[in-house]
């Protein structure tokens, strides 16, 4: 629940950026994310032990957080190169801080 609430807060914070770009926020599909989901589904389908299924879900969560962090770092690099104003950069920085490696390491192994 806490992760879901934090994600909702991050999305709210980023909505003005989408509005400023004239883009409607929505679900983002990417090859890496799709691949992670497929890998998870394949692994979970083969498992009979719910504990092992939980481990696979935790692994997927960590991988998605790493992917999110990489995307945020890319956006911040672009914002820096484009010399975008603080009202664009600050929400990205805050989201990166909240989604940082410390949070990934807190996820259950």
């Amino acid at each position: 629940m806490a992760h879901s609430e934090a994600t909702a807060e991050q999305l709210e914070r980023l909505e003005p950026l989408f509005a400023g770009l004239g883009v409607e926020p929505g679900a983002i599909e990417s090859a890496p994310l799709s691949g992670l989901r497929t890998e998870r589904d394949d692994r979970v389908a083969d498992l009979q032990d719910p504990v092992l299924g939980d481990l696979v879900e935790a692994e997927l969560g960590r991988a998605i957080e790493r992917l999110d962090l990489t995307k945020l770092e890319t956006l911040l690099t672009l914002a820096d190169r484009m010399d975008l104003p603080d009202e664009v950069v600050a929400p990205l920085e805050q989201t990166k801080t909240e989604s940082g490696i410390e949070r990934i390491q807190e996820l259950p192994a």
Side-chain angles (χ1 to χ4, degrees), residues 11-31:
L11 290 173
E12 279 182 31
R13 184 181 317 117
L14 298 176
E15 282 178 0
L17 299 178
F18 285 102
L21 294 170
V23 176
E24 285 291 320
I28 298 173
E29 285 301 320
S30 68

Side-chain angles (χ1 to χ4, degrees), residues 31-78:
L33 186 56
S34 179
L36 289 170
R37 286 188 183 130
T38 299
E39 183 178 339
R40 179 208 51 204
D41 292 345
D42 291 347
R43 287 185 186 179
V44 169
D46 291 339
L47 298 173
Q48 301 299 319
D49 184 343
V51 172
L52 294 177
D54 290 345
L55 289 173
V56 170
E57 292 291 340
E59 177 186 351
L60 177 68
R62 284 191 301 275
I64 290 172
E65 289 293 327
R66 285 186 183 98
L67 185 60
D68 287 347
L69 186 57
T70 299
K71 298 291 185 184
L72 281 166
E73 289 170 344
T74 300
L75 289 172
L76 285 164
T77 298
L78 288 171

